[in-house]
């Protein structure tokens, strides 16, 4: 009997160790930062050490720490002087910040559908969206898997475009031996507490090899002013913000970064093991990792497929039933991004900064509209997707193969051993909605 119907759950409430794993070394690093952060003086030593370590890890010339991944992405877009009237290509399936970083520069996001296997931006869809106004591509390393950078760089070279890498979900992953954070012309990564490299609170990291863009990013970070290595002039040269990272968050992230290669290996092994274990379980499709890439499974995305079980039922009802049944078994499956980003109210009402800016500011092409049905792959993913991962169902250490076996056992129980109960539960969800 399924646990949702009164049976015994596969996993108990203590089976999953939450993410991030906090060690004594992390605690000591934060205490050291606390001791040396007085008197308060910018930039903090711990922030500088994090920047240097991230630059080394990614093989980048320059790194700047920020107070969120969203800030780091905005810094990346603004550093290139993308601005009013410019267009930037963004995958239709991503977190909102991949698109709002474009709006923050008063530029216009143009959405592109994603690949049905990798869920990252589909290179074959890009060129038909390019116009004389197109300046850049936001390449999102979604779920923990790098985008197809060979194809993206070929397109960028052909059309003289900039690639901004959004590596928020994929620290520690690699593409053809190169680290996430170094795969675009610039990159913005998140240090949100749930991420594969965590500051336990909020934080972000910007990287580039371009000295001018690095200087611009520093200005965006600090009110438009220039301060590093100089006496502060209190003279804003450009529009800037206060994107500075807290020293305690920097110290925690720096300590975690020392273990990132080892943690990433565990994440990859766990996710790959579970994906293989689910290959023969009908009704859910596990993720695929292309040759030449590694996946660190910030999210482990699953596509529900009731048709594979011979069930003629609404996909959304089946997804709700699988989610509810699995959660009762102790597996915290959840939904993520329920609609294409261009379907969100922000892009449907297009109020922007007010009065429709940046779309109506006079620099942008007129007549822009966003139709979420224009992205059929993304639309289908949003209908079918369930995810494991993030903080509460972590694929990171100390979780290991034992937990993955527990997950696999629960999927087998729900979708194979008690399929009739799942079908009945699906009917109940379909009737209720």
């Amino acid at each position: 009997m399924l646990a949702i119907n009164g049976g015994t759950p596969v996993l108990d409430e203590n089976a999953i160790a939450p993410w991030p794993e906090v060690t004594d070394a992390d605690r000591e690093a934060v205490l050291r930062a606390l001791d040396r952060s007085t008197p308060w003086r910018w930039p903090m030593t711990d922030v500088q050490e994090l920047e240097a370590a991230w630059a080394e890890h990614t093989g980048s010339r320059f790194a700047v720490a920020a107070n969120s991944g969203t800030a780091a992405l905005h810094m990346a877009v603004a550093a290139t002087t993308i601005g009013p009237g410019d267009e930037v290509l963004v995958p239709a399936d991503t977190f909102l910040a991949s698109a709002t970083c474009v709006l923050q520069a008063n530029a216009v996001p143009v959405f592109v559908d994603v690949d049905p296997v990798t869920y990252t931006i589909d290179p074959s869809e890009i060129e038909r969206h390019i116009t004389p106004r197109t300046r850049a591509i936001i390449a999102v390393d979604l779920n923990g898997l790098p985008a197809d950078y060979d194809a993206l760089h070929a397109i960028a070279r052909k059309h003289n475009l900039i690639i901004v890498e959004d590596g928020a979900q994929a620290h520690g992953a690699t593409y053809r031996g190169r680290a996430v954070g170094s795969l675009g012309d610039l990159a913005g990564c998140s240090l949100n507490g749930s991420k594969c490299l965590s500051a336990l609170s909020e934080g972000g990291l910007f990287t580039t090899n371009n000295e001018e863009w690095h200087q611009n990013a520093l200005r965006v970070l600090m009110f438009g002013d220039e301060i590093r290595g100089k006496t502060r002039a209190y003279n804003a040269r450009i529009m800037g913000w206060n994107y500075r990272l807290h020293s305690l968050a920097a110290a925690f992230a720096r300590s975690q970064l020392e273990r990132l290669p080892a943690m990433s290996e565990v994440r990859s092994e766990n996710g790959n093991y579970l994906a293989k274990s689910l290959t023969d379980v009908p009704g859910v499709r596990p993720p695929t990792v292309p040759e030449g890439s590694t996946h660190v499974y910030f999210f482990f995305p699953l596509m529900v497929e009731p048709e594979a079980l011979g069930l003629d039922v609404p996909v959304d009802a089946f997804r709700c039933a699988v989610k509810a049944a699995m959660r009762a078994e102790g597996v915290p499956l959840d939904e993520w991004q329920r609609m294409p980003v261009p379907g969100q109210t922000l892009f449907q009402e297009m109020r922007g900064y007010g009065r429709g800016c940046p779309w109506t500011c006079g620099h942008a092409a007129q007549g822009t509209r966003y139709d979420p049905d224009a992205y059929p792959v993304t639309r289908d993913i949003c209908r079918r997707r369930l995810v494991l991962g993030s903080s509460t169902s972590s694929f990171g250490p100390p979780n290991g193969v034992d937990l993955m076996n527990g997950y696999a056992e629960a999927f087998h129980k729900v979708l194979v051993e008690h399929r009739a109960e799942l079908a009945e539960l699906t009917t109940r969800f379909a009737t209720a909605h």
Side-chain angles (χ1 to χ4, degrees), residues 311-352:
L311 297 177
D312 184 16
V313 295
V315 171
D316 57 347
F318 182 71
R319 179 173 67 172
C320 287
V322 172
K323 173 184 170 182
M326 291 295 293
R327 290 179 76 89
E329 299 296 340
V331 182
L333 273 177
D334 213 342
E335 298 172 30
W336 188 74
Q337 301 303 311
R338 300 179 181 184
M339 66 184 75
V341 175
Q344 294 190 31
T345 301
L346 170 64
F347 295 101
Q348 291 301 294
E349 296 186 352
M350 295 176 66
R351 296 180 185 181

Side-chain angles (χ1 to χ4, degrees), residues 256-275:
Q256 291 267 309
L257 179 54
E258 292 183 7
R259 305 195 304 280
L260 181 61
M263 294 190 299
S264 300
E265 184 175 356
V266 171
R267 299 185 77 99
S268 292
E269 289 175 351
N270 283 341
N272 293 342
Y273 183 92
L274 181 59

